[in-house]
Amino acid sequence: MFDNSFDKLEAYLNTNITNKKYDIIIVGGGSSGLMLAHLLNNKNLSILLLESTKRIATKLLMTGNGRCNVISSYKEKELEEKIYNGRFLRGAFLKYDLKKFFENNNLALKEENMRLYPKSEKSIDVVNMFNIENIVLKKNSKVTDLIFDKLKLIGVVCGENKYYGEKIVLCTGGKSFPKSGSDGSMHNILKKHNISITKTYPSEVPLVFPDFSSLSGVSIQNVKIFNKNHYSIGDILFTHKGISGPCAIGIGEFVARENNTEFFIDFLPDITEEKLFLNLFNNHKYLQNSFPKSFYKFIMEDFPKNNPSKKNIRKFISEKIKRYSLKNVKTLPIEKAFVTAGGVNLKEINNTTLSHKKIKNLYFAGELLDLHGEIGGFNLTIAWISAMIIADNII
């Protein structure tokens, strides 16, 4: 029939898969898509999982520098505070116990600074925990449009192929790390079909600031970056473009969102200005043991010379140690951020099902929604919980 041609056989099989109507089509094989597929795996449903790249869970494998900060150990009220628009998921925070879920699925966890990691500290173990053996998985299958029959959503377009399903779940992420598949193209598709997308901007993103470029590779522990509304405390790493590390990445979204306000660094947040003044006035080399040698040399270039007055020492402490101005600081572009802030407008989404209020067989999960959290497992929490909500309501 096929003249022993493998290519023709593959084309025939793809045609038959394409013409089949599925109970559910999941678009996106990232964290939320993988969780949803796992939860529906044994529900006796025909489910198609479409992943736009050559492998699933690309960003999940990268999280926590490959260690995978699975979830935060904060409680429900704190989750609501640390997640932008967290109130939208208030009921779900109370309903779902993520720690118990992972442990029941034989993923042993360890806690570190209010963050839970797999005991193995390997993100691949999180990915391997998910069971999707009954799901039809098609990789390198990028959705380029939605298919409507009059006003009813009936399927998706993948290049030259069309796939049909009773219900469609979009788990395509935002605009960050486009090589992972979350390239923002779904935002454009949704806008085309009159689904509202809020303003997007980078979150969990390093800072661009030229002052420290000569210190690239140098790290400092326990600093504070702040403006009048927000602050982040943690370690920083100077780069050739600016500042990275948990502290900088944690404040990044506010730099992107509030670029009209001035940000500052406090290099020694655990000591008051007055105590620092007394120590530095009595010993001009007091800071020598507080910082790496290269940063100490850099910062002391601004220390007043030749028997400095109290006033000049206080000015140095204020402007160079406790309130170093990050005037005109920027962030790397959204494509270089780890998380996209902004997404599908929550006013159009039913928060008990995560389905669209008008297109009732269309569901949204994870970073595609206008939900994002601070650094520390909160964005994965959004991915897991949104998938759980859908799994409980889509059948």
Side-chain angles (χ1 to χ4, degrees):
M1 178 178 179
F2 296 105
D3 299 324
N4 297 317
S5 168
F6 176 80
D7 290 339
K8 290 182 179 180
L9 174 60
E10 185 175 39
Y12 173 80
L13 292 173
N14 281 338
T15 300
N16 279 274
I17 290 174
T18 301
N19 290 336
K20 177 177 179 178
K21 186 171 184 179
Y22 292 89
D23 293 317
I24 299 170
I25 297 176
I26 302 171
V27 183
S31 301
S32 55
L34 196 55
M35 170 67 89
L36 181 59
H38 170 86
L39 294 171
L40 298 176
N41 184 63
N42 294 319
K43 300 296 184 182
N44 199 29
L45 298 167
S46 59
I47 299 175
L48 174 64
L49 174 58
L50 297 171
E51 166 55 40
S52 65
T53 67
K54 63 183 180 181
R55 70 173 183 176
I56 59 172
T58 300
K59 281 180 73 175
L60 179 57
L61 289 166
M62 296 165 56
T63 59
N65 292 320
R67 297 172 63 208
C68 193
N69 179 191
V70 183
I71 53 173
S72 165
S73 59
Y74 283 96
K75 300 301 180 184
E76 297 83 7
K77 185 178 180 181
E78 295 160 315
L79 287 174
E80 187 177 330
E81 293 171 353
K82 290 182 176 294
I83 291 175
Y84 182 78
N85 285 331
R87 187 176 180 181
F88 184 78
L89 296 176
R90 176 183 290 175
F93 290 147
L94 293 168
K95 180 177 180 180
Y96 299 109
D97 186 335
L98 290 175
K99 183 173 184 289
K100 187 175 180 180
F101 166 81
F102 285 109
E103 290 176 341
N104 286 346
N105 282 273
N106 299 313
L107 185 73
L109 300 175
K110 57 180 277 188
E111 185 171 345
E112 183 180 304
N113 299 323
M114 301 299 288
R115 302 173 185 185
L116 290 169
Y117 298 86
K119 237 174 200 179
S120 66
E121 298 194 347
K122 295 178 180 178
S123 57
I124 189 64
D125 290 342
V126 180
V127 176
N128 289 340
M129 181 207 75
F130 294 109
N131 179 12
I132 59 170
E133 63 181 2
N134 297 319
I135 309 296
V136 177
L137 171 62
K138 286 187 67 65
K139 301 175 185 177
N140 295 311
S141 298
K142 183 180 179 62
V143 170
T144 53
D145 205 353
L146 305 177
I147 305 171
F148 286 84
D149 181 7
K150 296 180 181 178
L151 297 177
K152 181 176 173 56
L153 177 65
I154 60 171
V156 298
V157 178
C158 284
E160 296 181 357
N161 295 322
K162 295 180 180 179
Y163 300 99
Y164 298 95
E166 287 290 336
K167 297 174 181 178
I168 313 294
V169 186
L170 302 181
C171 310
T172 53
K175 297 180 176 180
S176 307
F177 275 86
K179 288 184 179 180
S180 72
S182 57
D183 61 2
S185 58
M186 185 54 70
H187 288 189
N188 296 327
I189 294 170
L190 294 174
K191 288 177 184 177
K192 172 184 170 182
H193 296 288
N194 299 314
I195 295 170
S196 175
I197 304 293
T198 64
K199 180 182 178 181
T200 57
Y201 52 93
S203 179
E204 290 195 21
V205 62
L207 307 180
V208 176
F209 188 70
D211 283 24
F212 307 114
S213 58
S214 64
L215 296 169
S216 180
V218 175
S219 61
I220 302 179
Q221 295 181 327
N222 192 38
V223 306
K224 179 180 179 180
I225 303 179
F226 63 98
N227 71 353
K228 62 183 179 180
N229 300 315
H230 307 283
Y231 69 90
S232 177
I233 296 176
D235 300 347
I236 60 172
L237 171 68
F238 296 124
T239 69
H240 66 287
K241 289 188 176 181
I243 313 171
S244 189
C247 180
I249 289 171
I251 203 72
E253 72 163 285
F254 303 112
V255 171
R257 200 164 78 200
E258 302 175 16
N259 53 17
N260 292 324
T261 64
E262 191 170 3
F263 286 80
F264 303 89
I265 301 182
D266 182 348
F267 289 107
L268 292 172
D270 291 338
I271 185 170
T272 64
E273 277 193 48
E274 187 59 30
K275 186 174 181 180
L276 185 54
F277 164 73
L278 293 174
N279 290 333
L280 198 54
F281 180 73
N282 292 322
N283 176 11
H284 293 172
K285 294 184 178 181
Y286 171 76
L287 295 174
Q288 193 167 17
N289 295 323
S290 300
F291 300 119
K293 185 182 294 186
S294 55
F295 179 76
Y296 172 75
K297 182 180 178 181
F298 171 87
I299 207 72
M300 290 302 287
E301 288 178 0
D302 293 311
F303 189 77
K305 308 295 190 293
N306 302 322
N307 195 26
S309 66
K310 290 183 177 180
K311 179 180 179 181
N312 286 340
I313 292 177
R314 288 186 185 278
K315 183 180 180 184
F316 168 79
I317 290 171
S318 175
E319 295 180 359
K320 298 300 177 179
I321 304 297
K322 301 295 287 181
R323 289 176 63 86
Y324 192 109
S325 174
L326 296 177
K327 190 174 182 180
N328 298 321
V329 65
K330 307 293 182 185
T331 69
L332 290 176
I334 197 167
E335 294 81 10
K336 300 290 186 181
F338 203 75
V339 174
T340 298
V344 174
N345 194 327
L346 300 182
K347 292 179 181 179
E348 299 185 9
I349 306 301
N350 182 325
N351 74 328
T352 61
T353 64
L354 297 190
S355 61
H356 194 269
K357 289 179 179 177
K358 292 182 179 179
I359 311 169
K360 297 188 183 298
N361 64 332
L362 178 61
Y363 298 76
F364 303 86
E367 198 176 332
L368 183 58
L369 291 162
D370 185 16
L371 293 164
H372 70 276
E374 298 179 10
I375 189 172
F378 299 102
N379 291 291
L380 278 180
T381 295
I382 294 167
W384 308 139
I385 281 186
S386 58
M388 288 175 163
I389 294 171
I390 294 171
D392 280 349
N393 291 279
I394 199 169
I395 302 173

